[in-house]
Amino acid sequence: MYEQLLAAHVASLRIATPVDQLPKIDSQLSQLHTVAAKYSTLGVVVDNKELDYFRSHYVVLLCSFKEQLQHHVCVHTMEAITACWEIEQSLQSITV
């Protein structure tokens, strides 16, 4: 369940993260197995149904958030592109 939670969190982070920052996320993710191995050697076993219930609902929430954020970014990107095109057209019309 932890891996699913982390994957949902990272997926939502990637939506609004600038492209030049994505390698930092990838670098931190590459250390995941090391961290997980350290915890497994400690013998920490968490079998808590309430925690699993919380995690599963949080994964659903994060997936929903990602979809909403993705839609928001897409809409505003299109609005910005349209506004730039309109400005360009206006500038061309007054310089002709």
Side-chain angles (χ1 to χ4, degrees), residues 8-57:
H9 175 72
V10 170
S12 61
L13 277 179
R14 287 184 184 277
I15 299 299
T17 300
V19 175
D20 65 327
Q21 298 296 313
L22 291 176
K24 289 182 180 180
I25 293 173
D26 294 334
S27 172
Q28 290 175 346
L29 282 175
S30 69
Q31 299 171 12
L32 171 66
H33 299 294
T34 306
V35 173
K38 286 181 183 178
Y39 277 106
S40 67
T41 60
L42 293 174
V44 177
V45 177
V46 178
D47 185 26
N48 187 335
K49 291 183 183 197
E50 288 181 27
L51 183 57
D52 286 343
Y53 180 79
F54 169 78
R55 286 179 178 166
S56 65
H57 281 78

Side-chain angles (χ1 to χ4, degrees), residues 22-96:
L22 291 176
K24 289 182 180 180
I25 293 173
D26 294 334
S27 172
Q28 290 175 346
L29 282 175
S30 69
Q31 299 171 12
L32 171 66
H33 299 294
T34 306
V35 173
K38 286 181 183 178
Y39 277 106
S40 67
T41 60
L42 293 174
V44 177
V45 177
V46 178
D47 185 26
N48 187 335
K49 291 183 183 197
E50 288 181 27
L51 183 57
D52 286 343
Y53 180 79
F54 169 78
R55 286 179 178 166
S56 65
H57 281 78
Y58 199 63
V59 166
V60 172
L61 178 74
L62 282 171
C63 291
S64 173
F65 175 70
K66 177 193 152 245
E67 290 173 11
Q68 291 174 18
L69 185 59
Q70 197 167 20
H71 176 74
H72 179 74
V73 167
C74 183
V75 166
H76 286 286
T77 300
M78 290 306 296
E79 288 175 358
I81 290 170
T82 302
C84 287
W85 182 81
E86 289 172 356
I87 291 169
E88 181 181 12
Q89 294 300 311
S90 295
L91 288 172
Q92 286 180 359
S93 70
I94 61 174
T95 58
V96 173

